[in-house]
Amino acid sequence: ASSRSSVATTLVDRVQTLVSENKKAILIGTAAAAAIAVGGVAYYASTSSSRGTGSPTTDLEKGEKKDRKSKKKKKGVNDTDGPILEERKAKVENDEDDLSKYSPEVVAALTEEVSPTNERSRIAGLFKAKGNAAYKARDYAAAAKLYSSAIESSPTAEPVFYSNRAACYMNMVPPQYELVVQDCNEAIKLDSSYVKALNRRAMAFEALEQYSEALRDYTATTVLEKFANQATPRAVDRVLKTMSTKNAQEILKNRGPRLPPATFISAYFAAFRQRDLPVLPENPSEGDQKLMESFKALEEHDYNRSLELINDALNQSVSWDVGKSEALNLRGTYKFLLGDVEGAKNDLNESIKLVPSFTQSLVKIASVYMEQGEPDKAFDCFEEAIQHNREDPDIYYHRGQVLFIMNNFDDAAKNYTKSTELDDDFVFTHIQLAVAQYKAGNVANAMAQFRRTMKAFPQRSEPLNYYGELLLDQQRYQDAIEKFDKAIEIEKLNPQNVLALVNKGLTLFQMDQNIGAAERCCHEALRIDPECEAAVATLAQLSLQQGLVDAAVKYFERSAELARTEQELAGALTYQYATNAQIEFAKNYPQLASQMNAMARSL
Ligand SMILES: *[C@@H]1O[C@H](CO)[C@@H](O)[C@H](O)[C@H]1NC(C)=O
Ligand SMILES: *[C@@H]1O[C@H](CO)[C@@H](O)[C@H](O)[C@H]1NC(C)=O
Ligand SMILES: *[C@@H]1O[C@H](CO)[C@@H](O)[C@H](O)[C@H]1NC(C)=O
Ligand SMILES: *[C@@H]1O[C@H](CO)[C@@H](O)[C@H](O)[C@H]1NC(C)=O
Ligand SMILES: *[C@@H]1O[C@H](CO)[C@@H](O)[C@H](O)[C@H]1NC(C)=O
């Protein structure tokens, strides 16, 4: 989790857990939709999403460990699903026939005229049997040649010959993955439900880092095996994870620095108390003027302009220390939002050096450390900030946030309380205190704290919205909707925060599966704030629920566009790829689509 796990993420977490909470409901809902089956989407996605609840990840790691162990048992054999296991028909014929007289040239010349069909079948069978023996003896090169002879002498194309030869290529040192793919292509062309060939091709594609193809084949294998084999769903998870992480990194690299959605930026700025603007010196320089203009643009939520102006201001130089410290703080904040963590730390560090009592810069350095997953360093920053100015309520609020993220709700509550003692005018401290109490199990205290907060801040929508979330969590749907409606009314005066709308949609959905009403709420939210990530994520899940997979994919793509961090982006891509793989399955195996639904129902 990142430092923004301020109140703003409570909801996003909620959307993410929607899938796992309603896994069964979603699968059943999907099964009811006849057109295209997406049975396993929610199942896969919820166990592999990096944004999930955490436990699936540990399952996954355990799975990988088990894989490694079983690999050891194979003693260097890459593909134990060799031909031996496939020998279901006759045992090796105890034939006197000397295969050596069938040289490649002779085999090539075996036509109907030279040799009748049943004779050629017999010869092919002999080659295969000998190939199996060579395979068993781990002489993979010899086995591959024998299967080639089987292929050439056989009057009909036999998928098993190709699949067996692929097993040889798989086990050669080094493995011949391209040849594995070629042979599996042949086998699958002849028998589209040939699980071993599909699985083998998936492994080869994975090794070749052709992840989309690997995912497609593992998905097909999983469904064809009716989810019975533990290894293939794990392979799906593994490939999804690798693919999403890799592509997320690539996308972020190519995307270049850009500011996150405006709602995110305003939520970040709103997490700090408003302060008076610095007072311009007598004869302000051009840089000084630019600084003030940048603050003005910030106030107007014109962040791109504000960023441009602050760069100009510092480039042209700000003439007095307090102003320069403010300017560095602001530029450092933008650098943080742009993902330039080192640059952010430098600016913020310079800022605090110029005006040591300007502890906000230190608190922001702490949030940079949290983004980098270094809570210890973040705590050091808070300590240092307290040394500089122990009366700064922001320090305790943000330390509370870090403790909250780390699930230390008791200490978090203490820090929120301390912050409120210093200044009780900041609505988020009150809300977070209530949520921390709730998470710590003090439900009655939390509800009372919320009621006090709603009374103290009647003009704010946030207490209503987050109180509504607790009610939703307790399945008090009507009460929740009433709070969300009030929050929506307040936001209508100055529409910024659309979370209450999305929450209302979620409630309508959970209350009586009213998908249409839930969707209308989300669309309304997006009309006001086209970059509302929570609305997009919810719409994606609601689409899946109805089996509208193409629509779901579009929303996942949009989620990916809006994602800020690599983790968020990888999460969105995971859903997108899992859905696509299953759309493809339904296309390739239309006859099995309904079967996939039936399986989904019993999961
Ligand atoms: C197959 O074996 C080779 C060498 O024995 C090894 O380098 C490779 O990683 C193995 N591949 C798989 C998919 O296990
Ligand atoms: C800021 O500029 C980027 C392109 O540089 C654009 O994509 C984005 O929409 C702009 N944001 C705002 C709030 O205008
Ligand atoms: C600062 O100004 C110089 C030259 O005037 C320019 O090359 C540079 O890009 C500017 N830097 C920023 C961050 O605007
Ligand atoms: C800030 O600068 C000082 C030296 O001036 C350095 O010791 C310290 O590590 C820096 N802090 C950060 C967070 O970069
Ligand atoms: C705040 O959290 C820290 C742990 O980081 C804890 O030691 C302290 O007691 C808490 N309370 C206050 C009032 O700071």
Side-chain angles (χ1 to χ4, degrees):
S2 64
S3 57
R4 76 143 157 165
S5 296
S6 53
V7 238
T9 46
T10 350
L11 173 95
V12 176
D13 290 346
R14 166 145 291 285
V15 175
Q16 296 317 316
T17 52
L18 171 75
V19 190
S20 39
E21 281 168 8
N22 295 286
K23 186 153 88 185
K24 203 141 190 163
I26 286 179
L27 288 169
I28 292 168
T30 312
I36 298 185
V38 280
V41 161
Y43 169 72
Y44 292 147
S46 67
T47 53
S48 50
S49 165
S50 55
R51 297 200 283 186
T53 47
S55 54
T57 327
T58 34
D59 285 347
L60 194 65
E61 265 144 29
K62 253 185 253 153
E64 279 165 358
K65 245 179 245 151
K66 253 183 243 149
D67 270 353
R68 231 172 282 140
K69 243 187 248 158
S70 60
K71 241 177 229 158
K72 253 184 228 152
K73 259 188 259 154
K74 287 181 198 166
K75 286 187 205 125
V77 178
N78 272 2
D79 184 353
T80 44
D81 275 359
I84 314 305
L85 302 170
E86 274 163 356
E87 197 56 74
R88 260 181 235 126
K89 288 182 205 152
K91 282 267 183 200
V92 179
E93 285 170 57
N94 228 350
D95 208 287
E96 300 303 302
D97 217 333
D98 183 12
L99 280 176
S100 62
K101 75 179 183 215
Y102 293 103
S103 67
E105 294 76 31
V106 175
V107 168
L110 282 176
T111 59
E112 188 59 35
E113 276 153 38
V114 180
S115 181
T117 303
N118 59 355
E119 171 63 6
R120 285 160 64 207
S121 287
R122 193 184 66 85
I123 295 165
L126 289 172
F127 275 121
K128 186 184 78 166
K130 238 183 145 196
N132 288 358
Y135 183 93
K136 206 171 171 186
R138 305 224 164 109
D139 188 350
Y140 303 116
K145 272 196 194 126
L146 288 159
Y147 293 131
S148 297
S149 296
I151 289 167
E152 285 195 55
S153 51
S154 177
T156 53
E158 293 295 335
V160 66
F161 298 164
Y162 290 101
S163 180
N164 283 5
R165 193 169 63 180
C168 299
Y169 293 139
M170 200 77 190
N171 283 304
M172 287 178 178
V173 182
Q176 305 291 306
Y177 295 119
E178 277 93 358
L179 294 176
V180 174
V181 170
Q182 277 178 26
D183 272 358
C184 291
N185 285 346
E186 289 304 318
I188 294 161
K189 221 188 283 166
L190 296 163
D191 176 2
S192 66
S193 300
Y194 196 164
V195 169
K196 280 204 168 100
L198 278 164
N199 194 47
R200 199 162 276 146
R201 191 170 69 177
M203 284 162 69
F205 276 134
E206 187 181 355
L208 290 168
E209 301 188 4
Q210 288 178 237
Y211 297 115
S212 299
E213 289 83 358
L215 179 63
R216 176 199 63 202
D217 286 351
Y218 279 133
T219 301
T221 310
T222 303
V223 182
L224 291 169
E225 288 178 330
K226 305 188 177 16
F227 294 86
N229 180 352
Q230 291 286 309
T232 31
R234 273 212 304 271
V236 169
D237 272 349
R238 181 181 64 233
V239 171
L240 268 175
K241 202 174 167 191
T242 312
M243 196 176 158
S244 307
T245 310
K246 233 177 114 110
N247 291 352
Q249 285 165 353
E250 189 70 15
I251 290 170
L252 286 181
K253 214 173 72 197
N254 294 335
R255 188 150 89 181
R258 77 167 199 209
L259 286 175
T263 29
F264 180 88
I265 303 178
S266 50
Y268 186 73
F269 279 108
F272 297 87
R273 283 171 173 73
Q274 293 243 314
R275 285 165 306 110
D276 295 331
L277 291 181
V279 180
L280 272 177
E282 288 279 315
N283 296 306
S285 69
E286 213 165 304
D288 297 349
Q289 308 274 18
K290 286 268 161 69
L291 169 64
M292 301 313 277
E293 285 175 43
S294 174
F295 274 121
K296 192 155 171 284
L298 171 61
E299 216 163 85
E300 289 160 359
H301 303 280
D302 189 352
Y303 303 114
N304 277 342
R305 178 102 187 101
S306 169
L307 169 60
E308 203 178 293
L309 284 163
I310 198 65
N311 278 331
D312 289 350
L314 278 161
N315 221 2
Q316 293 163 4
S317 142
V318 175
S319 70
W320 83 118
D321 277 359
V322 170
K324 192 163 181 199
S325 177
E326 288 278 359
L328 285 162
N329 174 294
L330 187 55
R331 191 176 69 181
T333 306
Y334 281 121
K335 283 183 177 173
F336 171 59
L337 292 166
L338 288 164
D340 172 11
V341 289
E342 289 311 319
K345 274 191 284 197
N346 284 337
D347 277 357
L348 294 164
N349 206 4
E350 289 301 312
S351 159
I352 193 79
K353 272 186 219 152
L354 285 169
V355 181
S357 65
F358 188 16
T359 38
Q360 190 195 83
S361 290
L362 270 169
V363 173
K364 283 182 172 169
I365 294 178
S367 71
V368 178
Y369 279 127
M370 281 313 285
E371 178 95 357
Q372 292 180 296
E374 299 193 70
D376 289 348
K377 289 194 175 157
F379 283 118
D380 290 345
C381 289
F382 293 129
E383 276 307 325
E384 200 187 329
I386 291 172
Q387 303 298 319
H388 286 303
N389 179 5
R390 59 175 48 252
E391 304 284 284
D392 177 1
D394 275 350
I395 302 172
Y396 303 96
Y397 170 68
H398 284 273
R399 187 158 71 177
Q401 296 295 79
V402 170
L403 291 160
F404 185 99
I405 295 169
M406 298 171 78
N407 291 332
N408 184 348
F409 301 116
D410 289 331
D411 275 347
K414 279 186 207 145
N415 278 271
Y416 295 138
T417 305
K418 169 85 178 172
S419 179
T420 309
E421 281 165 13
L422 292 168
D423 168 21
D424 68 356
D425 209 27
F426 190 64
V427 68
F428 291 117
T429 320
H430 297 272
I431 293 173
Q432 283 295 105
L433 174 59
V435 178
Q437 287 170 334
Y438 188 77
K439 292 249 186 185
N442 303 325
V443 177
N445 283 356
M447 302 310 251
Q449 167 70 16
F450 258 120
R451 282 192 291 272
R452 279 194 298 275
T453 308
M454 288 184 293
K455 213 166 168 190
F457 297 88
Q459 77 290 7
R460 298 293 298 246
S461 71
E462 294 91 343
L464 290 159
N465 177 51
Y466 293 105
Y467 185 56
E469 282 199 13
L470 295 204
L471 294 169
L472 171 57
D473 197 50
Q474 296 167 39
Q475 300 179 5
R476 292 169 58 184
Y477 300 121
Q478 290 299 353
D479 295 340
I481 287 176
E482 188 200 318
K483 300 298 169 209
F484 294 140
D485 278 337
K486 276 191 188 155
I488 293 164
E489 276 308 306
I490 292 175
E491 284 295 329
K492 267 187 189 152
L493 303 173
N494 176 25
Q496 285 295 329
N497 187 338
V498 296
L499 290 184
L501 263 168
V502 181
N503 270 337
K504 184 181 173 185
L506 270 180
T507 310
L508 289 168
F509 166 66
Q510 297 207 0
M511 186 167 66
D512 46 30
Q513 307 284 305
N514 191 340
I515 293 181
E519 284 180 333
R520 279 192 292 281
C521 285
C522 293
H523 286 305
E524 174 65 7
L526 284 177
R527 193 185 60 74
I528 298 166
D529 175 8
E531 295 183 320
C532 178
E533 191 192 14
V536 175
T538 306
L539 281 168
Q541 298 299 339
L542 293 172
S543 302
L544 273 190
Q545 175 88 7
Q546 300 165 83
L548 301 173
V549 282
D550 294 319
V553 167
K554 287 218 180 71
Y555 288 122
F556 290 137
E557 285 168 0
R558 179 69 182 140
S559 272
E561 281 169 18
L562 292 175
R564 192 181 65 96
T565 64
E566 181 189 318
Q567 200 194 16
E568 285 172 9
L569 179 52
L573 293 178
T574 299
Y575 281 104
Q576 187 184 319
Y577 298 154
T579 313
N580 271 329
Q582 292 183 54
I583 291 174
E584 204 167 344
F585 178 83
K587 247 183 237 156
N588 293 341
Y589 301 88
Q591 74 282 10
L592 291 177
S594 60
Q595 200 177 325
M596 183 156 77
N597 281 337
M599 275 180 276
R601 216 174 290 129
S602 66
L603 266 185

